[in-house]
Amino acid sequence: HSQGCNFAFQAAHNAPERVAAIVAVEGSGAPDPARLEMGRLRDIPILYVWGDYLEQGPWPAFKRNVDRFMEAHRAAGGRGDGLAMPWPD
């Protein structure tokens, strides 16, 4: 969750054989995919979960970072899906 997502992505990159999947809940960060071997994450499915207020505060920048990571993961042959769960009005 939040800042912990970055640690999960790094841990999976460092030891992909020990990670079955990642559920990234409202990730406030992700590693720069240009600095990783994204192919190491190819066999690790990732679910990106987003809540509400994504258009406010720092969240647009956080989401862009995570989206860039997600796109690089998919480009390397990985599977990843997003789930948006905004709070109802």
Side-chain angles (χ1 to χ4, degrees):
H1 174 255
S2 194
Q3 292 179 353
C5 292
N6 192 38
F7 296 113
F9 296 141
Q10 289 283 1
H13 180 265
N14 292 340
E17 71 282 357
R18 295 177 179 249
V19 178
I22 295 173
V23 177
V25 179
E26 292 187 334
S28 64
D32 180 355
R35 303 183 91 189
L36 299 178
E37 296 175 48
M38 294 301 291
R40 291 177 58 85
L41 301 171
R42 179 179 314 121
D43 297 328
I44 300 173
I46 304 174
L47 176 63
Y48 303 87
V49 181
W50 298 102
D52 49 5
Y53 303 109
L54 284 177
E55 303 83 24
Q56 299 175 11
W59 286 104
F62 292 160
K63 188 165 184 319
R64 278 191 302 274
N65 247 358
V66 174
D67 286 347
R68 182 178 57 168
F69 183 87
M70 178 178 64
E71 290 168 12
H73 179 238
R74 287 181 180 161
R79 293 180 296 134
D81 291 306
L83 176 62
M85 299 175 23
W87 190 259
D89 289 336

